[in-house]
Amino acid sequence: MATFFGEVVVAPSRAGLDEEEEAREETPEDREIRREIEKKRYRQRGEIREREIQVLWSCAEESLVCSRFIVAIGRNAAAFLSSFILDSVCWEVIGVVKLWNEWCRTSSSTNVLPTDSFCLFYRLISDPTVLLCQCSCYVAEDQQFQWLEKVFGSMQKKGLQVTILSTCPVADYKTQESTLTLVSPFLKALKTKEFQEQVCCPLLEQPNIVRDLPAA
């Protein structure tokens, strides 16, 4: 339960339930919908299931030491990183995410190349514990848990600070004043109670929420 509005809390999720427990709770209609989705997604490309998310790293470490991890989700956020942070020789590509869904098909190549993926990981050369992620592709709802599990499963969690950058249309912003008078773009923040540093912008007001992969 949140102690204040704007705090990010971990909610119960069905994403981690095993298949047997999940099947007991499904109705016949749910099972039919699931089968139809599986027919569309579980097509074979060689021996790789297209629905499966693959995280490929160029580094040999079993667990990446990371102090700060900045994730830009969506094309606008990814473009912001490209223009203001990555536009230098201070970063190196160290990994990619391969995935397939109704809106995104990445290459089946196993090489870590920027041209093969819409989701790239960068490491700061001067400080290898600082990582960036550009995720400009769509991650489906039933793939978000797998994305989080595989990406963060490769990192050491102790002392890790995660910053998420994402955007949404001004028309979706809920406020008592007219959105036509708002100066856009503008920045709002959500944070966990563990984040003790000063927030660089005002907190997001009620009843606005964050959705999809940024929320996950």
PDB file of all heavy atoms in Angstrom, residues 63-98:
ATOM      1  N   SER A  63      27.021 -12.077 -13.965  1.00  0.00           N
ATOM      2  CA  SER A  63      26.132 -11.104 -13.336  1.00  0.00           C
ATOM      3  C   SER A  63      26.763  -9.723 -13.466  1.00  0.00           C
ATOM      4  O   SER A  63      27.862  -9.485 -12.958  1.00  0.00           O
ATOM      5  CB  SER A  63      25.920 -11.448 -11.855  1.00  0.00           C
ATOM      6  OG  SER A  63      25.022 -10.545 -11.263  1.00  0.00           O
ATOM      7  N   LEU A  64      26.076  -8.825 -14.161  1.00  0.00           N
ATOM      8  CA  LEU A  64      26.613  -7.498 -14.396  1.00  0.00           C
ATOM      9  C   LEU A  64      26.577  -6.671 -13.121  1.00  0.00           C
ATOM     10  O   LEU A  64      25.564  -6.603 -12.430  1.00  0.00           O
ATOM     11  CB  LEU A  64      25.801  -6.787 -15.479  1.00  0.00           C
ATOM     12  CG  LEU A  64      25.858  -7.385 -16.889  1.00  0.00           C
ATOM     13  CD1 LEU A  64      24.820  -6.709 -17.783  1.00  0.00           C
ATOM     14  CD2 LEU A  64      27.247  -7.216 -17.482  1.00  0.00           C
ATOM     15  N   VAL A  65      27.695  -6.032 -12.807  1.00  0.00           N
ATOM     16  CA  VAL A  65      27.746  -5.107 -11.680  1.00  0.00           C
ATOM     17  C   VAL A  65      27.206  -3.771 -12.161  1.00  0.00           C
ATOM     18  O   VAL A  65      27.758  -3.161 -13.076  1.00  0.00           O
ATOM     19  CB  VAL A  65      29.189  -4.954 -11.150  1.00  0.00           C
ATOM     20  CG1 VAL A  65      29.219  -3.946 -10.006  1.00  0.00           C
ATOM     21  CG2 VAL A  65      29.735  -6.299 -10.696  1.00  0.00           C
ATOM     22  N   CYS A  66      26.121  -3.328 -11.560  1.00  0.00           N
ATOM     23  CA  CYS A  66      25.456  -2.124 -12.038  1.00  0.00           C
ATOM     24  C   CYS A  66      25.040  -1.264 -10.854  1.00  0.00           C
ATOM     25  O   CYS A  66      24.375  -1.748  -9.932  1.00  0.00           O
ATOM     26  CB  CYS A  66      24.239  -2.508 -12.885  1.00  0.00           C
ATOM     27  SG  CYS A  66      23.397  -1.107 -13.629  1.00  0.00           S
ATOM     28  N   SER A  67      25.418   0.012 -10.874  1.00  0.00           N
ATOM     29  CA  SER A  67      25.015   0.947  -9.821  1.00  0.00           C
ATOM     30  C   SER A  67      23.841   1.808 -10.269  1.00  0.00           C
ATOM     31  O   SER A  67      22.969   2.143  -9.470  1.00  0.00           O
ATOM     32  CB  SER A  67      26.193   1.844  -9.434  1.00  0.00           C
ATOM     33  OG  SER A  67      26.640   2.614 -10.550  1.00  0.00           O
ATOM     34  N   ARG A  68      23.818   2.164 -11.550  1.00  0.00           N
ATOM     35  CA  ARG A  68      22.724   2.959 -12.107  1.00  0.00           C
ATOM     36  C   ARG A  68      22.292   2.357 -13.438  1.00  0.00           C
ATOM     37  O   ARG A  68      23.119   2.086 -14.298  1.00  0.00           O
ATOM     38  CB  ARG A  68      23.138   4.418 -12.304  1.00  0.00           C
ATOM     39  CG  ARG A  68      23.344   5.182 -11.002  1.00  0.00           C
ATOM     40  CD  ARG A  68      23.787   6.622 -11.264  1.00  0.00           C
ATOM     41  NE  ARG A  68      24.021   7.340 -10.039  1.00  0.00           N
ATOM     42  CZ  ARG A  68      23.108   8.091  -9.412  1.00  0.00           C
ATOM     43  NH1 ARG A  68      21.896   8.200  -9.941  1.00  0.00           N
ATOM     44  NH2 ARG A  68      23.394   8.721  -8.294  1.00  0.00           N
ATOM     45  N   PHE A  69      20.999   2.184 -13.582  1.00  0.00           N
ATOM     46  CA  PHE A  69      20.440   1.613 -14.798  1.00  0.00           C
ATOM     47  C   PHE A  69      19.325   2.541 -15.275  1.00  0.00           C
ATOM     48  O   PHE A  69      18.305   2.710 -14.612  1.00  0.00           O
ATOM     49  CB  PHE A  69      19.895   0.210 -14.526  1.00  0.00           C
ATOM     50  CG  PHE A  69      19.367  -0.494 -15.746  1.00  0.00           C
ATOM     51  CD1 PHE A  69      20.018  -0.394 -16.970  1.00  0.00           C
ATOM     52  CD2 PHE A  69      18.223  -1.287 -15.674  1.00  0.00           C
ATOM     53  CE1 PHE A  69      19.531  -1.049 -18.096  1.00  0.00           C
ATOM     54  CE2 PHE A  69      17.740  -1.953 -16.779  1.00  0.00           C
ATOM     55  CZ  PHE A  69      18.401  -1.832 -18.001  1.00  0.00           C
ATOM     56  N   ILE A  70      19.515   3.161 -16.437  1.00  0.00           N
ATOM     57  CA  ILE A  70      18.550   4.096 -17.003  1.00  0.00           C
ATOM     58  C   ILE A  70      17.879   3.427 -18.195  1.00  0.00           C
ATOM     59  O   ILE A  70      18.556   2.987 -19.121  1.00  0.00           O
ATOM     60  CB  ILE A  70      19.232   5.404 -17.440  1.00  0.00           C
ATOM     61  CG1 ILE A  70      19.927   6.056 -16.244  1.00  0.00           C
ATOM     62  CG2 ILE A  70      18.213   6.370 -18.052  1.00  0.00           C
ATOM     63  CD1 ILE A  70      20.755   7.274 -16.606  1.00  0.00           C
ATOM     64  N   VAL A  71      16.554   3.345 -18.153  1.00  0.00           N
ATOM     65  CA  VAL A  71      15.792   2.675 -19.198  1.00  0.00           C
ATOM     66  C   VAL A  71      14.877   3.683 -19.882  1.00  0.00           C
ATOM     67  O   VAL A  71      14.049   4.318 -19.226  1.00  0.00           O
ATOM     68  CB  VAL A  71      14.943   1.520 -18.628  1.00  0.00           C
ATOM     69  CG1 VAL A  71      14.287   0.737 -19.761  1.00  0.00           C
ATOM     70  CG2 VAL A  71      15.798   0.601 -17.768  1.00  0.00           C
ATOM     71  N   ALA A  72      15.035   3.853 -21.185  1.00  0.00           N
ATOM     72  CA  ALA A  72      14.166   4.726 -21.976  1.00  0.00           C
ATOM     73  C   ALA A  72      13.193   3.848 -22.749  1.00  0.00           C
ATOM     74  O   ALA A  72      13.606   3.055 -23.594  1.00  0.00           O
ATOM     75  CB  ALA A  72      14.981   5.583 -22.931  1.00  0.00           C
ATOM     76  N   ILE A  73      11.908   3.968 -22.454  1.00  0.00           N
ATOM     77  CA  ILE A  73      10.894   3.108 -23.054  1.00  0.00           C
ATOM     78  C   ILE A  73      10.017   3.940 -23.984  1.00  0.00           C
ATOM     79  O   ILE A  73       9.436   4.941 -23.566  1.00  0.00           O
ATOM     80  CB  ILE A  73      10.037   2.434 -21.974  1.00  0.00           C
ATOM     81  CG1 ILE A  73      10.929   1.586 -21.063  1.00  0.00           C
ATOM     82  CG2 ILE A  73       8.948   1.581 -22.595  1.00  0.00           C
ATOM     83  CD1 ILE A  73      10.210   0.962 -19.899  1.00  0.00           C
ATOM     84  N   GLY A  74       9.940   3.516 -25.236  1.00  0.00           N
ATOM     85  CA  GLY A  74       9.173   4.259 -26.227  1.00  0.00           C
ATOM     86  C   GLY A  74      10.083   5.052 -27.148  1.00  0.00           C
ATOM     87  O   GLY A  74      11.227   5.375 -26.798  1.00  0.00           O
ATOM     88  N   ARG A  75       9.576   5.367 -28.320  1.00  0.00           N
ATOM     89  CA  ARG A  75      10.413   6.034 -29.325  1.00  0.00           C
ATOM     90  C   ARG A  75      10.867   7.423 -28.895  1.00  0.00           C
ATOM     91  O   ARG A  75      11.997   7.826 -29.144  1.00  0.00           O
ATOM     92  CB  ARG A  75       9.650   6.119 -30.648  1.00  0.00           C
ATOM     93  CG  ARG A  75       9.404   4.754 -31.279  1.00  0.00           C
ATOM     94  CD  ARG A  75       8.687   4.873 -32.610  1.00  0.00           C
ATOM     95  NE  ARG A  75       8.478   3.564 -33.216  1.00  0.00           N
ATOM     96  CZ  ARG A  75       7.869   3.376 -34.368  1.00  0.00           C
ATOM     97  NH1 ARG A  75       7.387   4.418 -35.045  1.00  0.00           N
ATOM     98  NH2 ARG A  75       7.720   2.158 -34.852  1.00  0.00           N
ATOM     99  N   ASN A  76       9.998   8.187 -28.247  1.00  0.00           N
ATOM    100  CA  ASN A  76      10.374   9.536 -27.827  1.00  0.00           C
ATOM    101  C   ASN A  76      11.465   9.505 -26.770  1.00  0.00           C
ATOM    102  O   ASN A  76      12.429  10.270 -26.832  1.00  0.00           O
ATOM    103  CB  ASN A  76       9.149  10.293 -27.304  1.00  0.00           C
ATOM    104  CG  ASN A  76       8.152  10.616 -28.391  1.00  0.00           C
ATOM    105  OD1 ASN A  76       8.523  10.773 -29.548  1.00  0.00           O
ATOM    106  ND2 ASN A  76       6.881  10.696 -28.035  1.00  0.00           N
ATOM    107  N   ALA A  77      11.305   8.635 -25.780  1.00  0.00           N
ATOM    108  CA  ALA A  77      12.308   8.527 -24.726  1.00  0.00           C
ATOM    109  C   ALA A  77      13.636   8.011 -25.284  1.00  0.00           C
ATOM    110  O   ALA A  77      14.715   8.482 -24.909  1.00  0.00           O
ATOM    111  CB  ALA A  77      11.809   7.619 -23.609  1.00  0.00           C
ATOM    112  N   ALA A  78      13.561   7.034 -26.183  1.00  0.00           N
ATOM    113  CA  ALA A  78      14.778   6.500 -26.800  1.00  0.00           C
ATOM    114  C   ALA A  78      15.475   7.563 -27.640  1.00  0.00           C
ATOM    115  O   ALA A  78      16.710   7.660 -27.653  1.00  0.00           O
ATOM    116  CB  ALA A  78      14.442   5.285 -27.663  1.00  0.00           C
ATOM    117  N   ALA A  79      14.692   8.386 -28.356  1.00  0.00           N
ATOM    118  CA  ALA A  79      15.272   9.469 -29.151  1.00  0.00           C
ATOM    119  C   ALA A  79      15.932  10.516 -28.258  1.00  0.00           C
ATOM    120  O   ALA A  79      16.961  11.095 -28.615  1.00  0.00           O
ATOM    121  CB  ALA A  79      14.198  10.119 -30.017  1.00  0.00           C
ATOM    122  N   PHE A  80      15.358  10.755 -27.077  1.00  0.00           N
ATOM    123  CA  PHE A  80      15.956  11.694 -26.121  1.00  0.00           C
ATOM    124  C   PHE A  80      17.335  11.214 -25.689  1.00  0.00           C
ATOM    125  O   PHE A  80      18.299  11.994 -25.653  1.00  0.00           O
ATOM    126  CB  PHE A  80      15.043  11.850 -24.905  1.00  0.00           C
ATOM    127  CG  PHE A  80      15.621  12.703 -23.804  1.00  0.00           C
ATOM    128  CD1 PHE A  80      15.532  14.080 -23.863  1.00  0.00           C
ATOM    129  CD2 PHE A  80      16.259  12.118 -22.723  1.00  0.00           C
ATOM    130  CE1 PHE A  80      16.065  14.868 -22.850  1.00  0.00           C
ATOM    131  CE2 PHE A  80      16.809  12.887 -21.709  1.00  0.00           C
ATOM    132  CZ  PHE A  80      16.705  14.272 -21.776  1.00  0.00           C
ATOM    133  N   LEU A  81      17.448   9.920 -25.377  1.00  0.00           N
ATOM    134  CA  LEU A  81      18.756   9.370 -25.007  1.00  0.00           C
ATOM    135  C   LEU A  81      19.751   9.515 -26.147  1.00  0.00           C
ATOM    136  O   LEU A  81      20.915   9.875 -25.934  1.00  0.00           O
ATOM    137  CB  LEU A  81      18.629   7.904 -24.617  1.00  0.00           C
ATOM    138  CG  LEU A  81      18.133   7.555 -23.216  1.00  0.00           C
ATOM    139  CD1 LEU A  81      18.326   6.067 -22.962  1.00  0.00           C
ATOM    140  CD2 LEU A  81      18.839   8.365 -22.155  1.00  0.00           C
ATOM    141  N   SER A  82      19.309   9.238 -27.366  1.00  0.00           N
ATOM    142  CA  SER A  82      20.203   9.324 -28.522  1.00  0.00           C
ATOM    143  C   SER A  82      20.718  10.743 -28.722  1.00  0.00           C
ATOM    144  O   SER A  82      21.893  10.949 -29.023  1.00  0.00           O
ATOM    145  CB  SER A  82      19.477   8.854 -29.792  1.00  0.00           C
ATOM    146  OG  SER A  82      19.152   7.490 -29.711  1.00  0.00           O
ATOM    147  N   SER A  83      19.839  11.728 -28.540  1.00  0.00           N
ATOM    148  CA  SER A  83      20.198  13.112 -28.832  1.00  0.00           C
ATOM    149  C   SER A  83      21.042  13.757 -27.746  1.00  0.00           C
ATOM    150  O   SER A  83      21.956  14.529 -28.050  1.00  0.00           O
ATOM    151  CB  SER A  83      18.926  13.947 -29.047  1.00  0.00           C
ATOM    152  OG  SER A  83      18.170  13.440 -30.124  1.00  0.00           O
ATOM    153  N   PHE A  84      20.756  13.451 -26.473  1.00  0.00           N
ATOM    154  CA  PHE A  84      21.377  14.197 -25.388  1.00  0.00           C
ATOM    155  C   PHE A  84      22.366  13.395 -24.547  1.00  0.00           C
ATOM    156  O   PHE A  84      23.113  13.984 -23.758  1.00  0.00           O
ATOM    157  CB  PHE A  84      20.297  14.775 -24.472  1.00  0.00           C
ATOM    158  CG  PHE A  84      19.411  15.782 -25.159  1.00  0.00           C
ATOM    159  CD1 PHE A  84      18.171  15.413 -25.629  1.00  0.00           C
ATOM    160  CD2 PHE A  84      19.841  17.086 -25.344  1.00  0.00           C
ATOM    161  CE1 PHE A  84      17.346  16.335 -26.270  1.00  0.00           C
ATOM    162  CE2 PHE A  84      19.031  18.012 -25.977  1.00  0.00           C
ATOM    163  CZ  PHE A  84      17.780  17.644 -26.439  1.00  0.00           C
ATOM    164  N   ILE A  85      22.381  12.081 -24.677  1.00  0.00           N
ATOM    165  CA  ILE A  85      23.279  11.282 -23.840  1.00  0.00           C
ATOM    166  C   ILE A  85      24.198  10.391 -24.662  1.00  0.00           C
ATOM    167  O   ILE A  85      25.405  10.337 -24.430  1.00  0.00           O
ATOM    168  CB  ILE A  85      22.465  10.434 -22.841  1.00  0.00           C
ATOM    169  CG1 ILE A  85      21.651  11.351 -21.921  1.00  0.00           C
ATOM    170  CG2 ILE A  85      23.391   9.540 -22.014  1.00  0.00           C
ATOM    171  CD1 ILE A  85      20.800  10.618 -20.916  1.00  0.00           C
ATOM    172  N   LEU A  86      23.643   9.702 -25.637  1.00  0.00           N
ATOM    173  CA  LEU A  86      24.427   8.726 -26.392  1.00  0.00           C
ATOM    174  C   LEU A  86      25.181   9.321 -27.568  1.00  0.00           C
ATOM    175  O   LEU A  86      25.924   8.604 -28.240  1.00  0.00           O
ATOM    176  CB  LEU A  86      23.509   7.607 -26.903  1.00  0.00           C
ATOM    177  CG  LEU A  86      22.907   6.709 -25.812  1.00  0.00           C
ATOM    178  CD1 LEU A  86      21.864   5.788 -26.411  1.00  0.00           C
ATOM    179  CD2 LEU A  86      23.992   5.917 -25.111  1.00  0.00           C
ATOM    180  N   ASP A  87      24.992  10.596 -27.842  1.00  0.00           N
ATOM    181  CA  ASP A  87      25.640  11.228 -28.986  1.00  0.00           C
ATOM    182  C   ASP A  87      27.098  11.567 -28.672  1.00  0.00           C
ATOM    183  O   ASP A  87      27.521  12.716 -28.715  1.00  0.00           O
ATOM    184  CB  ASP A  87      24.877  12.496 -29.392  1.00  0.00           C
ATOM    185  CG  ASP A  87      25.368  13.049 -30.727  1.00  0.00           C
ATOM    186  OD1 ASP A  87      26.009  12.295 -31.477  1.00  0.00           O
ATOM    187  OD2 ASP A  87      25.118  14.240 -30.996  1.00  0.00           O
ATOM    188  N   SER A  88      27.842  10.540 -28.331  1.00  0.00           N
ATOM    189  CA  SER A  88      29.265  10.690 -28.013  1.00  0.00           C
ATOM    190  C   SER A  88      29.913   9.319 -28.114  1.00  0.00           C
ATOM    191  O   SER A  88      29.246   8.308 -28.337  1.00  0.00           O
ATOM    192  CB  SER A  88      29.455  11.265 -26.598  1.00  0.00           C
ATOM    193  OG  SER A  88      29.042  10.326 -25.629  1.00  0.00           O
ATOM    194  N   VAL A  89      31.219   9.270 -27.943  1.00  0.00           N
ATOM    195  CA  VAL A  89      31.946   7.995 -28.021  1.00  0.00           C
ATOM    196  C   VAL A  89      32.167   7.409 -26.635  1.00  0.00           C
ATOM    197  O   VAL A  89      32.985   6.517 -26.453  1.00  0.00           O
ATOM    198  CB  VAL A  89      33.314   8.201 -28.718  1.00  0.00           C
ATOM    199  CG1 VAL A  89      33.112   8.583 -30.169  1.00  0.00           C
ATOM    200  CG2 VAL A  89      34.145   9.243 -27.977  1.00  0.00           C
ATOM    201  N   CYS A  90      31.406   7.891 -25.652  1.00  0.00           N
ATOM    202  CA  CYS A  90      31.608   7.450 -24.267  1.00  0.00           C
ATOM    203  C   CYS A  90      30.880   6.152 -23.945  1.00  0.00           C
ATOM    204  O   CYS A  90      31.030   5.623 -22.844  1.00  0.00           O
ATOM    205  CB  CYS A  90      31.140   8.536 -23.300  1.00  0.00           C
ATOM    206  SG  CYS A  90      31.996  10.113 -23.475  1.00  0.00           S
ATOM    207  N   TRP A  91      30.078   5.640 -24.885  1.00  0.00           N
ATOM    208  CA  TRP A  91      29.257   4.473 -24.625  1.00  0.00           C
ATOM    209  C   TRP A  91      29.581   3.340 -25.590  1.00  0.00           C
ATOM    210  O   TRP A  91      29.987   3.576 -26.720  1.00  0.00           O
ATOM    211  CB  TRP A  91      27.771   4.827 -24.750  1.00  0.00           C
ATOM    212  CG  TRP A  91      27.340   5.924 -23.836  1.00  0.00           C
ATOM    213  CD1 TRP A  91      27.391   7.268 -24.086  1.00  0.00           C
ATOM    214  CD2 TRP A  91      26.819   5.792 -22.513  1.00  0.00           C
ATOM    215  NE1 TRP A  91      26.928   7.970 -23.015  1.00  0.00           N
ATOM    216  CE2 TRP A  91      26.564   7.097 -22.039  1.00  0.00           C
ATOM    217  CE3 TRP A  91      26.523   4.695 -21.702  1.00  0.00           C
ATOM    218  CZ2 TRP A  91      26.035   7.337 -20.773  1.00  0.00           C
ATOM    219  CZ3 TRP A  91      25.999   4.932 -20.439  1.00  0.00           C
ATOM    220  CH2 TRP A  91      25.760   6.233 -19.980  1.00  0.00           C
ATOM    221  N   GLU A  92      29.384   2.117 -25.139  1.00  0.00           N
ATOM    222  CA  GLU A  92      29.561   0.947 -25.992  1.00  0.00           C
ATOM    223  C   GLU A  92      28.345   0.039 -25.871  1.00  0.00           C
ATOM    224  O   GLU A  92      27.757  -0.103 -24.801  1.00  0.00           O
ATOM    225  CB  GLU A  92      30.823   0.175 -25.591  1.00  0.00           C
ATOM    226  CG  GLU A  92      30.822  -0.330 -24.158  1.00  0.00           C
ATOM    227  CD  GLU A  92      32.061  -1.130 -23.832  1.00  0.00           C
ATOM    228  OE1 GLU A  92      32.784  -1.498 -24.785  1.00  0.00           O
ATOM    229  OE2 GLU A  92      32.312  -1.390 -22.632  1.00  0.00           O
ATOM    230  N   VAL A  93      27.935  -0.557 -26.988  1.00  0.00           N
ATOM    231  CA  VAL A  93      26.812  -1.488 -26.986  1.00  0.00           C
ATOM    232  C   VAL A  93      27.258  -2.811 -26.366  1.00  0.00           C
ATOM    233  O   VAL A  93      28.258  -3.392 -26.775  1.00  0.00           O
ATOM    234  CB  VAL A  93      26.290  -1.732 -28.418  1.00  0.00           C
ATOM    235  CG1 VAL A  93      25.149  -2.750 -28.406  1.00  0.00           C
ATOM    236  CG2 VAL A  93      25.810  -0.430 -29.042  1.00  0.00           C
ATOM    237  N   ILE A  94      26.502  -3.279 -25.363  1.00  0.00           N
ATOM    238  CA  ILE A  94      26.881  -4.538 -24.701  1.00  0.00           C
ATOM    239  C   ILE A  94      25.782  -5.591 -24.750  1.00  0.00           C
ATOM    240  O   ILE A  94      25.994  -6.719 -24.303  1.00  0.00           O
ATOM    241  CB  ILE A  94      27.272  -4.295 -23.226  1.00  0.00           C
ATOM    242  CG1 ILE A  94      26.084  -3.743 -22.443  1.00  0.00           C
ATOM    243  CG2 ILE A  94      28.486  -3.396 -23.127  1.00  0.00           C
ATOM    244  CD1 ILE A  94      26.271  -3.822 -20.942  1.00  0.00           C
ATOM    245  N   GLY A  95      24.615  -5.258 -25.301  1.00  0.00           N
ATOM    246  CA  GLY A  95      23.570  -6.271 -25.334  1.00  0.00           C
ATOM    247  C   GLY A  95      22.345  -5.829 -26.106  1.00  0.00           C
ATOM    248  O   GLY A  95      22.179  -4.646 -26.425  1.00  0.00           O
ATOM    249  N   VAL A  96      21.497  -6.798 -26.417  1.00  0.00           N
ATOM    250  CA  VAL A  96      20.244  -6.533 -27.126  1.00  0.00           C
ATOM    251  C   VAL A  96      19.155  -7.444 -26.563  1.00  0.00           C
ATOM    252  O   VAL A  96      19.432  -8.448 -25.903  1.00  0.00           O
ATOM    253  CB  VAL A  96      20.359  -6.793 -28.646  1.00  0.00           C
ATOM    254  CG1 VAL A  96      21.382  -5.880 -29.278  1.00  0.00           C
ATOM    255  CG2 VAL A  96      20.700  -8.258 -28.921  1.00  0.00           C
ATOM    256  N   VAL A  97      17.901  -7.078 -26.850  1.00  0.00           N
ATOM    257  CA  VAL A  97      16.761  -7.936 -26.553  1.00  0.00           C
ATOM    258  C   VAL A  97      16.108  -8.317 -27.873  1.00  0.00           C
ATOM    259  O   VAL A  97      15.837  -7.459 -28.712  1.00  0.00           O
ATOM    260  CB  VAL A  97      15.731  -7.231 -25.652  1.00  0.00           C
ATOM    261  CG1 VAL A  97      14.466  -8.081 -25.527  1.00  0.00           C
ATOM    262  CG2 VAL A  97      16.309  -6.983 -24.265  1.00  0.00           C
ATOM    263  N   LYS A  98      15.891  -9.605 -28.078  1.00  0.00           N
ATOM    264  CA  LYS A  98      15.196 -10.099 -29.264  1.00  0.00           C
ATOM    265  C   LYS A  98      13.795 -10.533 -28.854  1.00  0.00           C
ATOM    266  O   LYS A  98      13.628 -11.269 -27.883  1.00  0.00           O
ATOM    267  CB  LYS A  98      15.930 -11.309 -29.854  1.00  0.00           C
ATOM    268  CG  LYS A  98      17.414 -11.084 -30.106  1.00  0.00           C
ATOM    269  CD  LYS A  98      17.643 -10.267 -31.345  1.00  0.00           C
ATOM    270  CE  LYS A  98      19.144 -10.223 -31.666  1.00  0.00           C
ATOM    271  NZ  LYS A  98      19.415  -9.453 -32.868  1.00  0.00           N
TER     272      LYS A  98
END
